[in-house]
Amino acid sequence: MEILRHEGPGRLGRVRLGDYSFRTPALAGVDFTLSPFNSFFHPKEPGEYDFNLAPSIPLGFYTPDEVIQKALGRLWSVKHEDFNAFYLPALRRTEYLEEFFKIIERYNFDAVYLGNSKILIKEYRYFVRILRELRERFPNIMIIADLEPFFYPLAVYLGVDAFDTRSLKLYDFEGKGFTQFSPFLWSNEPNSLDFAREVILLVRKALEEGKLRYLVENFFPTQYNAGILRIADLEHPDYLEKYTPIQKETVYFISDASIRRPEVKRWHKRVLERFTPPKNVEILLLFPCSAKKPYSFSRSHTLYRRAVKEALGSGTSKVHELILTSPFGVVPREWEWLAKYDIVVTGHWGEEEIKPAAELLAKTLEKYPEDIPIIAHLDEAYVEIAKLASELSGREIIFTDVKNGTTSHESLRSLTETLREFQIEGTKEDRTYRYFENIRKVFDFYFGIGAGEAVLPENGQVKGSKMLRIFVEGQQTGTFTDGVISVTPYGMQRIYDAVKSYWVKIDFELRGDVFAVGVEEADPRIRPDDIVGIVRDEKVVGVGKAVLSGEEMVKARKGVAVKVRKRA
């Protein structure tokens, strides 16, 4: 199986079977054929089925140890070479998974049929865990499950590639027809296979457009859907995040589950690990977010900046700003281009929003020197967040007197008067430094601390107006346009030398795209759609866009790992 596109562990893939190929997610009986369950006989005609299930023992979910051990002994005696699909019984005793995995690994199957799926869907933790272990260990194996169509979006999001449709005929036999509204509301006409086909096409479309998570949060919310997604978000956020492409479009937070999206976890981690305050900061300001993005284009932030300029004049080049928001928590001013999101604003904040934002703010405040005054111009729940952060960090925060909202004349006057108590002056050098820092911090977000300095050091140059071209010693290192960046091979070489990040190592002459089979090593920080450097003998020989995560590139043996954009 070749992976074409990711959204979380879910993937749009291509499976090649000789001259025939099909795309996943897929349906048995529609996109491919699957031999009868647990068949001990070869098909009468060669090639009758695309996937032939190897003989197996259909163990139940609660099977006792002695039966499992006896079954494993018999499975090793099966002549698996004649089959390309393996039946993996999901068991409560997960310690036996490793023994089944050894069989899969030894015989290099093309597909795994996940047994006991309909029981497993009720065992939230086991469902997520087994899919995770399968997906991480065997990136090129197609996972097949037997589930109702209202589980397809969630199952695909967590790693399932295809679905057996034979059991759906039971619904037709009972005269039940699926509807798009709820798994508990049935139509009068049998329609199981037609409905399964409609849902899988919808899932495919969502994957193609990067909208699968929205579908998961909106499609047939049963207690099982909600429970499994919650376990995945809270107990396996790293599993979801490492396969989630880097955010490029606005994310809409449409439900309580949205605030646990992988993009939020990634943002919090990068604020902690990849943000450092500018060196010339003498005052830190805390502002609330705005509905319009980026914040600087909003009416409220225009008024805030006008008040700051009136109070400090040239000293504004020594002021740094953090914006408080849900669910991203903290957005440094330099990263406002990257905080592309929209959320329902009602004025009511839940504990799941307030506490993480306060904890993130507290850890961010600790990055600033202790003698720097912190001034908060906030209202409503933002005040609660700042006060809790002050307690957690031990840093004193000065609150302006806000009345009738942060943009009222009285509130803005209070902001100006509070700032006037601090006399600071900025120089031309300060302004230049902060202009460069606005660009550097974005490169740090994508590649890690030090990348911005590598691409744009003190002796660097910035040319242009809308699209900024960055040069070092006459050679272009990259471009910057409203937070959107590109990097040249020369720029990526400087990043590689400085911070050793986002590299893919090969040992052959680069002529086209890099396939997974040719990857020697890859930075595990790489996510799908990241800009990466292709390195050979410590030299960057090209720059491209990652198709797979870094970990996946090393384990996979099929498909494109990096689409090359520029060669050195």
Side-chain angles (χ1 to χ4, degrees):
M1 177 170 171
E2 176 186 352
I3 301 164
L4 304 176
R5 182 182 174 86
H6 262 301
E7 185 174 346
R11 57 203 190 162
L12 193 67
R14 181 185 293 115
V15 178
R16 299 181 188 276
L17 300 166
D19 296 332
Y20 171 64
S21 69
F22 63 90
R23 284 200 168 195
T24 63
L27 295 176
V30 177
D31 301 292
F32 66 93
T33 55
L34 181 69
S35 68
F37 170 73
N38 203 32
S39 173
F40 280 81
F41 306 98
H42 292 290
K44 294 180 180 178
E45 297 294 331
E48 183 177 345
Y49 299 107
D50 296 321
F51 292 99
N52 288 301
L53 280 163
S56 60
I57 301 170
L59 303 173
F61 186 70
Y62 297 100
T63 301
D65 289 276
E66 60 271 18
V67 177
I68 297 174
Q69 291 168 6
K70 186 179 292 186
L72 280 166
R74 290 185 176 180
L75 281 176
W76 277 109
S77 66
V78 173
K79 193 177 180 182
H80 289 104
E81 293 91 341
D82 296 330
F83 302 89
N84 64 350
F86 181 78
Y87 175 80
L88 173 67
L91 305 170
R92 187 172 183 84
R93 289 171 168 78
T94 54
E95 62 268 23
Y96 290 103
L97 271 177
E98 182 61 30
E99 293 303 311
F100 288 101
F101 286 171
K102 287 177 182 176
I103 298 175
I104 297 170
E105 208 159 43
R106 177 171 179 178
Y107 293 98
N108 197 27
F109 290 99
D110 294 321
V112 167
Y113 190 106
L114 185 59
N116 303 329
S117 302
K118 292 184 180 180
I119 296 175
L120 196 59
I121 204 83
K122 301 174 184 179
E123 300 283 342
Y124 309 156
R125 284 182 173 83
Y126 295 96
F127 185 72
V128 179
R129 178 183 170 185
I130 289 173
L131 283 178
R132 175 174 188 167
E133 294 197 23
L134 267 174
R135 171 59 65 245
E136 290 182 331
R137 187 147 174 177
F138 308 106
N140 290 125
I141 279 184
M142 185 175 77
I143 301 175
I144 307 171
D146 178 15
L147 294 169
E148 285 84 358
F150 42 79
F151 289 118
Y152 288 179
L154 177 61
V156 169
Y157 181 63
L158 295 178
V160 177
D161 299 299
F163 300 92
D164 191 357
T165 60
R166 283 173 290 202
S167 69
L168 294 181
K169 295 176 182 177
L170 292 173
Y171 291 96
D172 291 343
F173 181 74
E174 294 176 4
K176 287 184 176 181
F178 290 96
T179 74
Q180 70 267 38
F181 303 109
S182 164
F184 307 113
L185 296 175
W186 308 95
S187 71
N188 295 324
E189 297 296 328
N191 66 349
S192 63
L193 190 58
D194 289 338
F195 189 74
R197 189 184 288 111
E198 288 175 19
V199 175
I200 212 70
L201 289 174
L202 187 62
V203 174
R204 245 182 243 170
K205 185 69 173 176
L207 264 171
E208 289 169 0
E209 297 188 1
K211 301 291 191 299
L212 181 58
R213 175 73 189 215
Y214 296 118
L215 191 59
V216 169
E217 292 178 19
N218 282 278
F219 202 84
F220 299 153
T222 68
Q223 71 271 36
Y224 307 126
N225 289 68
I228 290 168
L229 184 59
R230 191 173 300 157
I231 290 298
D233 284 340
L234 295 177
E235 298 183 12
H236 298 270
D238 58 322
Y239 173 57
L240 303 184
E241 188 276 330
K242 69 181 174 182
Y243 297 113
T244 299
I246 197 72
Q247 182 188 342
K248 291 183 179 178
E249 297 182 358
T250 298
V251 172
Y252 297 94
F253 296 97
I254 56 177
S255 70
D256 290 342
S258 296
I259 63 177
R260 300 192 301 266
R261 286 181 64 126
E263 292 90 341
V264 175
K265 303 292 184 183
R266 175 185 292 157
W267 184 275
H268 285 210
K269 187 175 182 181
R270 292 198 179 189
V271 170
L272 294 176
E273 297 179 355
R274 302 190 184 187
F275 169 72
T276 54
K279 297 174 184 177
N280 70 341
V281 176
E282 294 191 16
I283 292 179
L284 173 61
L285 294 178
L286 306 181
F287 288 130
C289 67
S290 63
K292 190 170 185 177
K293 315 291 186 306
Y295 310 120
S296 293
F297 291 2
S298 68
R299 175 180 175 275
S300 59
H301 281 248
T302 300
L303 293 173
Y304 302 155
R305 291 191 146 189
R306 189 179 299 166
V308 174
K309 182 70 174 177
E310 181 184 340
L312 300 176
S314 65
T316 55
S317 58
K318 292 187 175 181
V319 172
H320 194 249
E321 301 169 22
L322 296 178
I323 294 92
L324 307 188
T325 183
S326 174
F328 282 179
V330 174
V331 178
R333 177 63 76 181
E334 298 90 342
W335 286 3
E336 65 176 328
W337 301 104
L338 310 170
K340 299 176 180 178
Y341 69 98
D342 204 352
I343 187 169
V344 176
V345 178
T346 63
H348 298 283
W349 289 54
E351 182 66 20
E352 201 172 356
E353 295 175 273
I354 291 175
K355 189 177 179 182
E359 290 173 344
L360 182 61
L361 177 58
K363 292 174 182 177
T364 307
L365 295 180
E366 293 170 1
K367 296 173 181 279
Y368 294 82
E370 292 185 1
D371 60 340
I372 287 180
I374 305 170
I375 299 169
H377 187 67
L378 306 167
D379 63 353
E380 299 178 344
Y382 297 103
V383 174
E384 186 179 346
I385 292 169
K387 286 182 176 179
L388 180 55
S390 178
E391 293 175 15
L392 293 171
S393 64
R395 300 295 296 270
E396 181 184 356
I397 297 178
I398 301 168
F399 290 87
T400 61
D401 187 14
V402 173
K403 296 178 181 177
N404 301 318
T406 57
T407 58
S408 69
H409 291 299
E410 303 96 319
S411 300
L412 293 171
R413 188 184 310 116
S414 175
L415 173 60
T416 302
E417 291 172 355
T418 303
L419 289 173
R420 278 178 177 159
E421 297 177 15
F422 303 94
Q423 297 298 316
I424 59 174
E425 293 185 6
T427 64
K428 181 181 179 181
E429 288 73 22
D430 286 315
R431 290 194 297 274
T432 301
Y433 168 72
R434 293 301 287 274
Y435 176 66
F436 277 23
E437 279 291 278
N438 287 339
I439 299 172
R440 290 174 183 145
K441 297 299 183 196
V442 174
F443 281 88
D444 285 353
F445 175 87
Y446 284 110
F447 303 109
I449 293 174
E453 186 68 34
V455 171
L456 183 56
E458 286 188 18
N459 66 336
Q461 289 181 300
V462 178
K463 299 179 181 179
S465 53
K466 182 65 175 176
M467 186 182 80
L468 305 178
R469 294 182 298 150
I470 307 167
F471 293 85
V472 177
E473 297 176 350
Q475 293 192 66
Q476 188 169 341
T477 56
T479 65
F480 177 97
T481 310
D482 296 343
V484 178
I485 64 168
S486 71
V487 188
T488 66
Y490 173 64
M492 189 57 77
Q493 182 71 59
R494 291 181 61 87
I495 292 173
Y496 180 74
D497 292 340
V499 296
K500 289 290 189 292
S501 67
Y502 291 77
W503 44 265
V504 176
K505 293 187 177 179
I506 62 173
D507 66 350
F508 55 87
E509 184 179 349
L510 184 64
R511 296 183 182 275
D513 292 335
V514 176
F515 287 81
V517 71
V519 175
E520 286 194 321
E521 296 178 74
D523 187 346
R525 289 170 288 187
I526 294 172
R527 303 291 179 257
D529 288 355
D530 272 334
I531 298 172
V532 298
I534 299 104
V535 177
R536 184 186 185 194
D537 298 330
E538 296 302 294
K539 298 294 183 184
V540 174
V541 294
V543 174
K545 184 176 79 169
V547 176
L548 311 177
S549 69
E551 178 184 306
E552 206 172 18
M553 290 180 189
V554 177
K555 293 181 179 179
R557 288 293 174 265
K558 297 176 184 176
V560 176
V562 182
K563 291 185 177 179
V564 176
R565 298 291 176 82
K566 302 170 186 174
R567 286 189 288 167

